[in-house]
């Protein structure tokens, strides 16, 4: 056999090896993250629920999902272990994180402003998005519909 015929098989085996290796690394990192959990840390489950770890058992974790409400989850259901600052920001709304760069405004008016508007030039005409009053136009005439029985002669005449 020549090297040219074996080359596709070698490339295929190499690609399979690289794919399984990266998947195994991800699984090991997730297992390590779950093993590093401590009681009192904030977590996010794979379903998107945020909770605090109360107790860690062999294959399960007791989570406090609300004050006084405890639930038992499988360790595999923990999607991420969060640091205290991030957990408090998400769950309690604490704004202790410093935001680097521009802050997105509450309204979109500054996002759609052109360069002249951003500098404060008010000379440019603004687009009027209000509904205009409609001009009085006569309604189209609708033909009068006659009763079908009256046309047949079976109407009210007896």
């Amino acid at each position: 056999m020549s090297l040219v015929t074996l080359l596709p098989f070698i490339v295929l085996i190499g690609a399979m090896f690289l794919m399984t290796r990266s998947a195994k690394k991800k699984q090991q990192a997730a297992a390590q993250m779950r093993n590093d959990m401590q009681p009192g840390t904030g977590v996010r489950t794979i379903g998107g629920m945020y909770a605090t770890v109360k107790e860690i058992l062999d294959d399960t974790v007791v989570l406090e999902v609300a004050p006084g409400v405890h639930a038992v989850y499988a360790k595999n259901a923990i999607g991420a272990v969060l640091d205290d600052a991030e957990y408090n920001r998400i769950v309690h709304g604490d704004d202790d994180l410093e935001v680097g760069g521009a802050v997105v405004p509450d309204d979109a008016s500054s996002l759609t402003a052109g360069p002249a508007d951003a500098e404060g030039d008010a000379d440019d005409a603004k687009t009027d998005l209000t509904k205009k009053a409609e001009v009085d136009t006569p309604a189209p005439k609708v033909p009068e519909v006659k009763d079908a029985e009256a046309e047949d002669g079976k109407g009210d005449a007896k």
Side-chain angles (χ1 to χ4, degrees), residues 94-158:
D94 294 345
D95 292 331
D96 292 340
L97 291 178
E98 293 182 19
V99 179
V103 177
V104 178
D106 290 337
D107 63 344
S109 62
S110 64
L111 298 175
T112 58
D117 293 338
E119 294 172 1
D121 290 339
D123 295 337
D124 295 334
K126 299 284 184 180
T127 304
D128 185 18
L129 299 177
T130 58
K131 188 174 181 180
K132 304 278 190 244
E134 294 185 20
V135 179
D136 292 334
T137 56
K141 292 186 179 183
V142 179
E144 190 174 311
V145 178
K146 295 182 180 179
D147 193 13
E149 291 180 359
E151 289 181 6
D152 292 341
K154 298 178 184 177
D156 292 331
K158 284 189 178 183

Side-chain angles (χ1 to χ4, degrees), residues 27-147:
Q27 287 177 348
Q28 288 175 347
Q32 183 65 30
M33 174 205 53
R34 292 182 187 113
N35 290 334
D36 291 343
M37 279 189 302
Q38 298 294 325
T41 59
V43 295
R44 182 183 67 235
T45 65
I46 57 175
M49 183 180 67
Y50 293 91
T52 304
V53 177
K54 285 298 173 185
E55 187 178 352
I56 300 173
L57 305 173
D58 292 335
D59 292 334
T60 59
V61 178
V62 178
L63 300 178
E64 185 176 28
V65 295
V69 179
H70 296 86
V72 179
Y73 279 81
K75 276 189 178 179
N76 292 339
I78 304 300
V81 177
L82 307 172
D83 60 348
D84 291 336
E86 183 178 7
Y87 180 77
N88 288 331
R89 180 183 61 82
I90 293 170
V91 175
H92 302 296
D94 294 345
D95 292 331
D96 292 340
L97 291 178
E98 293 182 19
V99 179
V103 177
V104 178
D106 290 337
D107 63 344
S109 62
S110 64
L111 298 175
T112 58
D117 293 338
E119 294 172 1
D121 290 339
D123 295 337
D124 295 334
K126 299 284 184 180
T127 304
D128 185 18
L129 299 177
T130 58
K131 188 174 181 180
K132 304 278 190 244
E134 294 185 20
V135 179
D136 292 334
T137 56
K141 292 186 179 183
V142 179
E144 190 174 311
V145 178
K146 295 182 180 179
D147 193 13

